[in-house]
Each structure stands twice: as C-alpha cells, then as structure tokens.
C-alpha cells in the first residue's frame, strides 16, 4: 500500500485504509485486531465522542466496514442498550446474532460515561464494551483523565498528575459482570482468544485495551507496540480476566522486566517529580493482590 | 402509549428507556407494568440515558417512547437534540413542570420550551382525552416517512397529569389500524455499513439543517391528514395545530396554550354574551409554529394578548415572542399589525382562574400600545 491508494486490502476488515489517525496510534492497531478477531461476525459499533469516531472520517465516507452509531460522549452504553434490546426482541433464526460493541476512549469510560457504563453493567445488558485506554483526552490535545497514571505530564497537569489511575477492571468486576478482561496490542493471540471467548458469553462484557498515543505520551510512533509489551512484561499493565467478578485468571505473566524501562521511554514521565520507587511499590502490591485472587 | 407500543408487535417491537421524576413518574410506572408481547422497558440511571436508549432502539428499527419533566428534561437535553438530528420518530410525554431552582413541582412550560430550536414537533395538550389521543397521533406523525421527527406530547403538571377524568380509550384493534408497523429507513443495516453521526463539514451540516427545516414544514399538512384518519378510525376529533373561537369579528384576541386555554374559552364565551367582540386562540402546536393560522386569525383584530405559563429570559412569554414574530413584516398584516401584549400568567405553577383572564382582558381593552410583559399573580 502506498500513501495515495490502497492497492489491496482485506474486504472483510473492520478498519479500511484511508483514515487519518496518527502514526503509531494504539487505538488503530486495536481496531485492526478487533476486526480480525470478529471476521465473519455480524456486529455494529457504538462510538462516543473520541478519536474512534474521528477515525470514520467526514460524511459521506467512512473508514469503518460495519454499521457505526456515533453517540454523545456519556451515552455509548445507553445507545448500545437500545440497539441490543431490539436485537434480543428480534432473534434471527439460522444466523449468528448481531453483536453490539461499544468502542470508547478512557475519557468516555472512566470519566463522563462512568454512570452510564456502571448502569449498563449493573443491568447486565447484552453487549461488549471496549475501552481503548490512551490515558488522556487525546482528541482534544492531551488533557488528564482519571485514567492518566500518576506523575504523567499532560496539558492540564503540567507538573505531573498527583493522583493515581482509577482501576477500571476492579470497578467492573465489582459489578459482577459475566466477563471483564485486559487486552494488549503486543499479544495478538491473547487478544483474539479473549474476544472470541466473549462472543460465547451472554450479558455485559468489558475489555480494556492499553492504547499508546505517541502524540500525547511524547513517544516514538514506531515504539507503540514495544511499549505495550514492556507494560505487560513489567507488570504495569497485567493481562488478566475476571469471570463473574470473582474468578480471576492471569493470562500472561510478567517476566520481571524493570518498570523503569517502560517509564524511561516516555517523555510524559520525564519530570523530576516522578518517583519511580513509589510507583514500583504500588505496582508490586497491586500485582501481588492479583496473583492471590487468581490462585484462590 | 402502551397500545401504540403493542401495535408494533408485528414489526421490530417497542423499547422504552425510563427514569422517574415527579410528576411524570406514573407514566413510566404504567409502561413498566404493561405486558408488551414484543417490548422491553429499560430502567436506566438518568434521563440522559433514557433518551439514549430510545435513540439506540430507534436506530435499530423499534418504536421508542419515554417520558420526563422539568430538570429531568434539562439533564436529557443533549440526547433530546440528537433524537431530532438523527431524524428518529421517538415520542416523549413531557409533563410541564417548573425548572428549578427554586425547587417547585408545579406547572410551567419553561422545561419543554427550552427545546424550541431542537427540531422536535411540540404539541401542548389541554385535557386527559387530548393527551391520550395526541399520543397516538404523535406516533403516526413521527413515523410518517415524510416527517421522521421526534414528537413531544406536553401537558401541564398536576392540572392534567394528576387529574382523573372520564375519557374514551382506544381499543388495540383501532390502534393497530391507525399505526402501521414502524419503519425507520435509516436503521442499522450490516449489508450497507454507514457511520451515523460522524464528522461533517459545513456544507453537509448545512444540508442536514435544511433537511430538518423542510421536514418541519411538511408537518402541518401531514398532521391534518393524520387527524382525518384518526376521525375515521376512532370516530372522534383530535385537536389540531390551533383551535379558535370568535376570531372572525373580534377586535381583541387572547392566545394561550395548555390548560390556560380552557380557562380562556369560558371567559371569552361570557364576554361574548355581554356583546364584547373578543375571540381566542389555543395554540396546540408550538413547533412547527402555526404562523399562517395565527396571522390569518389575528389579521382583523386590533389587540392581541398572549398568556404564557412560562418565562423566557429577557423576552417575557415565549409563545408571545413567537406570535409577535408571526405578525411582523408579513404581507397581509403589514402596518395594520395588531398590538401584541405579553401576560405572564401562572409562571411557576400559580393558578390561572377565570378572574385572572378577566383582568387580562380588561387590561388589554384599556391599552393603546404594547409594553413590557405584565406579570400576573405578583403579590404587592
């Protein structure tokens, strides 16, 4: 493929060539992996305000190869509940049911959409919610969200964020949703397996994708996948799943890589305020707790 | 409403996103209890999501309904706008209640009137029968392929919403005939994947706004057709965009909406018996505003008084504002345009009784020029 025309691409792909996303965008890679995992499935996307809806491009063209509804910022799970309810009222015989996916950023998930998300999870709506977490408001130029990790500098935390990142998987697990899991764009097999597994589960399913944003993180576009691999290997972003809010399984074990390697490669953590030791301590206690939960 | 929902059982069914707020709660409680044969009622966590559910359901081809009131409508606002901008035939019962603060549950139309620029059709009812019939009419109008706009069925808090009245109810068989299966042509279709509501540049946005405007302009004609159908199937009249009495030779005309119009009716009749040349107009449809009718009915009068149970900051009565706009600079009215005076009656839920209307008529009769809005009911 060259810069002007798409020479050949898979007609069944989710994300067609020709979108305007930034180089090294973790969300774009996530969409490609999602499309591969869902090849042959009938599904629709509900996307709130975020880079994911800008990805579609301007009317009347679209980069998405499936029906997409743009929802208001806080409303993706509410719109999707309506869509899913109608599908459930109209079962198709002899065909796979149409799956309803929300594809939302961390702002739409951890912040403005939190009440809507929590309510849809509590009602156990029959839909899959995927949060691609780039840990900032990327679309608006990189402001802090409650998903921004401690110490990261953003446009609204110029001295580094002083609060910890919200633990969204724990919040979803506390709703006892049938399935909640993390996904990594550096681990495509695990990504695909867990999406396929979710298709065999009814009710509310939640995924968190670690999605580097080179523009906001001040990182090299070519390093995005490598950064996610480092995050998994060092225990910064553990790959695990929770069934019914209680059954924990770790999918990929950390290999002992020093988390400092992950932080050192990102200019957003370059401030003097960044105390890597306290971050390491926190990661350690979080991961120990996860291992205990996975063993019990 | 439940009969309308049930009438779509042969199509994609009915979905209601519901959330309680006084004084509309009884409506959604009733909907939640109704044994739809193909429907789902989703009790969500906010009005914003209640409309969100309706939008998702309508985009997937279902008939969709919700109800709200006052600050609930304010909270819902963003998705109220989307429902119209996506051209979705959603019907909402809106019980007009004072916006807070201060905390006040009584009747005031300020809540629904804040959506006057959102391209919803707005119908203000004056009785229980009117609400029941208008709701059915609303679905038919909203789902008309020439229209495809959401419709708000508005009613005064408590005065209508909590008053019992004997009414003629429709049968399911009649409603099935009146409401054909709901079809939302822009609904999701995997065979033709499009992105609904993505980015658009100014030129395409302009076209979209023009589409909305053209759809609104088709409403009055369509409404009359559906009223004729209603008459044929149910054997009774459902009120239209405006209702008028004695305007032909009136030199003074009063205009109101909702239950205030019922009070006008009786006072105007009394004055007529005394030989006074007074008339009245009840405006039921606020959007699209029945400009032609108002213009025609008022063209021969000298003075028009508009009673508003609402307050628009800096403009006074919102219906009055629209009436003035309808009468200004139009051919056929021109320099003979009548004096139009705004009366704020029952703002915040105060009673509008025959004496109130009497005072308004006397005040209007004395007037030689229009002035600032007259606030009725202020204790001095």
């Amino acid at each position: 493929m060259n810069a002007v025309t798409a020479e050949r691409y898979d007609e069944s792909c989710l994300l067609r060539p020709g979108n305007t996303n930034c180089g090294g965008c973790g969300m774009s890679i996530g969409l490609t992996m999602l499309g591969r995992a869902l090849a042959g499935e009938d599904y629709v996307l509900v996307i709130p305000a975020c880079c994911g809806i800008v990805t579609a491009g301007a009317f009347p063209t679209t980069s998405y190869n499936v029906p997409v509804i743009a929802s208001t910022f806080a409303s993706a799970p509410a719109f999707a509940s309506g869509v899913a309810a109608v599908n459930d009222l109209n079962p198709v015989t002899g065909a796979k049911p149409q799956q309803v996916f929300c594809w939302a950023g961390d702002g739409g998930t951890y912040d403005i959409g939190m009440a809507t998300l929590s309510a849809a999870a509590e009602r156990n709506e029959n839909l899959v919610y995927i949060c691609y977490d780039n840990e900032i408001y990327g679309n608006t130029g990189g402001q802090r969200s409650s998903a921004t990790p401690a110490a990261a500098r953003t446009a609204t935390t110029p001295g580094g964020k002083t609060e910890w990142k919200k633990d969204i998987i724990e919040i979803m697990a506390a709703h006892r949703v049938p399935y909640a899991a993390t996904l990594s764009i550096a681990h495509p097999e695990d990504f695909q397996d867990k999406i396929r597994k979710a298709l065999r589960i009814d009710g509310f399913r939640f995924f968190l994708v670690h999605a580097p944003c080179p523009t906001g993180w001040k990182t090299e576009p070519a390093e995005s996948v490598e950064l996610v691999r480092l995050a998994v290997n060092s225990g910064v972003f553990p790959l695990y799943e929770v069934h019914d809010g209680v059954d924990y399984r770790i999918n990929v074990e950390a290999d002992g890589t020093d988390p400092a390697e992950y932080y050192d490669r990102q200019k957003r953590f370059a401030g003097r305020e960044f105390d890597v030791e306290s971050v390491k301590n926190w990661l350690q206690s979080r991961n120990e707790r996860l291992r205990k939960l996975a063993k019990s | 409403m439940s009969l309308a929902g049930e009438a779509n059982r042969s199509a994609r069914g009915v979905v209601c996103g519901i959330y309680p707020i006084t004084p509309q709660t009884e409506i959604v409680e009733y909907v939640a209890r109704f044994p739809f044969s193909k429907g789902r009622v989703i009790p969500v966590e906010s009005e914003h999501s209640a409309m969100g559910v309706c939008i998702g359901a309508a985009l997937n081809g279902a008939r969709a309904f919700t109800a709200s009131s006052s600050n609930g409508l304010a909270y819902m606002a963003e998705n109220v706008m989307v429902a119209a901008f996506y051209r979705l035939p959603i019907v909402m019962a809106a019980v007009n209640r004072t916006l807070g603060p201060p905390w006040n549950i009584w009747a005031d139309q300020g809540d629904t009137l804040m959506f006057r620029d959102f391209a919803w059709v707005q119908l203000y009812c004056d009785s229980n029968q009117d609400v029941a019939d208008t709701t059915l009419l609303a679905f038919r109008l909203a789902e008309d392929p020439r229209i495809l706009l959401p419709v708000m069925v508005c009613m005064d808090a408590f005065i209508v919403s909590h008053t019992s009245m004997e009414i003629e109810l429709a049968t399911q068989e009649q409603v099935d005939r009146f409401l054909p299966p709901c079809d939302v042509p822009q609904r999701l279709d995997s065979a033709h994947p499009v992105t609904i509501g993505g980015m658009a540049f100014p030129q395409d946005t302009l076209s979209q706004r023009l589409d909305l405007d053209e759809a609104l302009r088709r409403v009055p004609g369509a409404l009359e057709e559906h009223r004729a159908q209603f008459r044929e199937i149910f054997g009774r009249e459902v009120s239209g965009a405006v209702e008028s009495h004695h305007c032909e030779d009136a030199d003074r005309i009063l205009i109101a909406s909702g239950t205030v119009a019922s009070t006008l009716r009786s006072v105007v009749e009394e004055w007529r018996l005394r030989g006074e040349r007074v008339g009245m107009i009840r405006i039921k449809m606020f959007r699209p505003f029945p400009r032609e009718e108002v213009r025609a009915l008022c063209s021969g009068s000298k003075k028009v008084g508009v009673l508003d149970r609402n307050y628009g900051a800096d403009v006074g009565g919102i219906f009055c504002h629209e009436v003035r706009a309808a009468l200004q600079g139009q051919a056929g009215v021109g320099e003979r345009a009548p004096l139009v005076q705004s009366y704020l009656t029952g703002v915040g839920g105060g009673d509008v009784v025959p004496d109130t209307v009497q005072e308004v008529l006397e005040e209007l009769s004395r007037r030689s020029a229009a002035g600032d809005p007259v606030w009725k009911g202020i204790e001095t």
Side-chain angles (χ1 to χ4, degrees), chain B residues 169-192:
Chain B
L169 270 182
T171 65
Q172 188 66 58
E173 186 271 328
Q174 286 173 317
V175 177
D176 288 351
R177 276 172 60 209
F178 185 61
L179 293 177
C182 170
D183 182 25
V184 183
Q186 71 273 39
R187 78 179 169 94
L188 298 173
D189 178 3
S190 293
H192 299 96

Side-chain angles (χ1 to χ4, degrees), chain A:
Chain A
M1 194 186 304
N2 61 40
V4 182
T5 49
E7 288 171 354
R8 260 180 27 199
Y9 72 100
D10 179 3
E11 290 290 338
S12 68
C13 67
L14 167 59
L15 193 57
R16 298 160 172 160
N19 63 73
T20 55
N21 295 349
C22 308
C25 166
M27 178 202 66
S28 306
I29 301 168
L31 279 169
T32 302
M33 288 188 175
L34 179 68
R36 285 188 190 140
L38 294 174
E41 301 291 334
D42 182 9
Y43 63 106
V44 298
L45 296 180
V46 178
I47 308 179
C50 64
C51 290
I53 198 63
V54 179
T55 301
F59 177 87
T61 58
T62 176
S63 297
Y64 288 111
N65 215 4
V66 299
V68 173
I69 299 173
S71 85
T72 47
F73 208 171
S75 267
F79 278 43
S81 297
V83 175
V86 181
N87 282 352
D88 292 345
L89 289 174
N90 295 276
V92 275
T93 41
K96 286 181 192 170
Q98 183 180 74
Q99 297 275 349
V100 181
F101 280 78
C102 292
W103 179 263
D106 47 292
T109 303
Y110 290 69
D111 289 352
I112 197 169
M114 185 45 119
T116 324
L117 172 67
S118 169
E122 183 262 341
R123 295 192 307 270
N124 197 25
E125 295 289 348
N126 193 20
L127 59 94
V128 184
Y129 190 102
I130 306 181
C131 170
Y132 66 90
D133 184 2
N134 55 28
E135 307 186 317
I136 41 163
Y137 286 87
N139 207 7
T140 47
Q143 298 77 26
R144 63 93 81 184
S145 77
S146 57
T148 302
R153 283 186 300 167
T154 69
T156 48
T157 54
K161 191 186 171 199
T162 50
E163 302 82 21
W164 295 107
K165 179 185 174 84
K166 258 188 207 174
D167 192 336
I168 193 83
I169 293 286
E170 289 307 303
I171 293 170
M172 297 321 292
H175 286 73
R176 295 205 155 207
V177 294
Y179 191 62
T182 56
L183 298 171
S184 150
I185 56 169
H187 298 77
E189 296 84 4
D190 179 70
F191 191 117
Q192 172 141 338
D193 288 350
K194 287 195 280 197
I195 295 282
R196 301 297 307 171
K197 182 189 280 186
L199 296 183
R200 298 191 296 272
I201 298 171
D202 285 332
F204 197 87
R205 291 141 286 171
F206 182 87
F207 287 105
L208 181 69
V209 188
H210 196 202
C213 171
T215 314
W217 291 15
K218 318 288 179 230
T219 53
E220 286 302 315
E223 288 188 356
S224 289
V225 175
E226 194 49 36
L227 278 172
V228 172
R229 197 189 317 281
L230 271 174
V232 172
N233 289 343
S234 62
V236 171
F237 188 79
L239 276 183
Y240 69 111
E241 59 190 346
V242 190
H243 287 266
D244 302 314
V246 288
D247 180 8
Y248 281 69
R249 286 175 213 168
I250 294 172
N251 306 112
V252 176
E253 290 287 349
D255 66 1
T257 301
D258 185 350
E261 266 196 61
Y262 170 75
Y263 295 110
D264 286 349
R265 288 165 80 158
Q266 303 174 54
K267 289 205 187 83
R268 62 177 173 153
F269 294 111
R272 269 177 311 193
E273 309 79 5
F274 185 50
D275 173 9
V276 77
E277 286 311 314
S278 75
V279 171
K280 280 186 193 174
N281 288 339
W282 176 77
L283 288 174
Q284 199 178 344
S285 66
R286 196 257 322 256
N287 293 342
E288 266 169 28
R289 179 175 164 275
L290 263 185
R291 273 193 291 275
K292 270 184 209 156
L293 285 166
K295 270 181 202 149
S296 60

